[in-house]
Amino acid sequence: MKIDRWTRRAALLLATLTVLLSGCTTYVTTQVTAFSDWSGNDATRTYAFTRAADQQNNLELTTYERLVGNELATHAFRQVDASEARYLVGLSYGIRSDMVTVAEPVYYNPWPSPYWGRPFDPWGPWGPGGPFPTAYVNQSYPIFTHLLGVRITERASGKEVYNVTARNSGGESSLVRAMPYLARSALADFPLGNGVVHTVKIPVDKSGGTSNEVATTGAAPAATPASGAKVVQ
């Protein structure tokens, strides 16, 4: 009877934890750095995308331009033919992989429960080690850094007026899946001041896509002047 009572309590505890965890929101956190000499207004926000000669038939770039174009539209930008555009918008992007090593605990359980969880888990939810860490082992995991740069220049003069870079890192190995968060973060609160660095947090919705909610924090001036800004390839 005591075993049954403890089993029921454990089941209720696990059910409660499941409900609580299901209500948690996962965020994608992106660092954004902007350099700006912006003086445009809504009436003159016409633009066209510009590409290097070897990018003319790049389907990947077309996909990313569409995402950035959607975000530009929320700031009253209107895409037109290049010959009519006041601004030219160029994109740069990339992904880099690294390995990180984390020390993870090895657990020991002084009170094994041979009846809990049979037949699948006779030692309880912690495994044979139990809930008390006695040692640590190093585990290595891949981490991926995703990057998007958006550079806006005046078509007539070639003058750079806005240069923003968005960067985030995590376990996502696909740049395509990371790009909606990068595009939205890069153009959040447009136009940012010159030399501003801040963090943008975007929640992931239940289907795994971007949410409409955007939170920005921690704006701070950067040390590098706008004239020294470069788009990272």
Side-chain angles (χ1 to χ4, degrees), residues 18 26 71 82 84 97 102 110 146 148 158 180 206:
T18 300
T26 301
E71 299 304 321
E84 302 174 357
S97 63
V102 180
H146 319 97
L148 171 66
K206 293 181 180 179

Side-chain angles (χ1 to χ4, degrees), residues 10-226:
L12 288 173
L13 176 61
L14 290 174
T16 302
L17 289 174
T18 300
V19 172
L20 291 174
L21 291 173
S22 66
C24 295
T25 301
T26 301
Y27 289 85
V28 174
T29 301
T30 302
Q31 180 178 290
V32 176
T33 304
F35 297 94
S36 176
D37 188 19
W38 184 261
S39 59
N41 57 61
D42 291 353
T44 60
R45 291 186 180 183
T46 56
Y47 78 96
F49 285 109
T50 181
R51 297 184 176 190
D54 59 350
Q55 296 177 319
Q56 294 306 311
N57 297 308
N58 190 319
L59 289 176
E60 181 183 12
L61 180 53
T62 299
T63 302
Y64 301 156
E65 286 177 344
R66 188 177 299 114
L67 292 171
V68 172
N70 290 339
E71 299 304 321
L72 287 171
T74 66
H75 300 290
F77 279 87
R78 181 169 57 91
Q79 188 172 3
V80 297
D81 186 83
S83 62
E84 302 174 357
R86 175 164 183 176
Y87 300 106
L88 297 178
V89 178
L91 305 185
S92 58
Y93 53 90
I95 184 171
R96 185 184 67 201
S97 63
D98 295 292
M99 297 295 294
V100 294
T101 301
V102 180
E104 296 187 344
V106 176
Y107 290 98
Y108 163 69
N109 184 1
W111 303 296
S113 304
Y115 300 102
W116 186 4
R118 279 189 172 183
F120 303 107
D121 188 12
W123 294 100
W126 296 286
F132 300 102
T134 59
Y136 289 84
V137 295
N138 290 330
Q139 296 286 350
S140 295
Y141 301 94
I143 187 170
F144 301 90
T145 300
H146 319 97
L147 178 75
L148 171 66
V150 181
R151 182 173 184 261
I152 303 178
T153 59
E154 291 182 340
R155 181 179 64 86
S157 65
K159 176 185 176 182
E160 180 179 273
V161 293
Y162 200 72
N163 191 329
V164 62
T165 302
R167 178 186 286 102
N168 60 38
S169 299
E172 176 56 69
S173 61
S174 170
L175 182 60
V176 175
R177 286 195 289 265
M179 191 56 67
Y181 300 96
L182 293 171
R184 182 165 297 181
S185 299
L187 293 167
D189 299 326
F190 175 89
L192 294 170
N194 184 49
V196 166
V197 179
H198 73 164
T199 299
V200 179
K201 293 178 65 177
I202 301 177
V204 181
D205 64 22
K206 293 181 180 179
S207 62
T210 56
S211 167
N212 290 326
E213 178 186 344
V214 178
T216 59
T217 59
T224 307

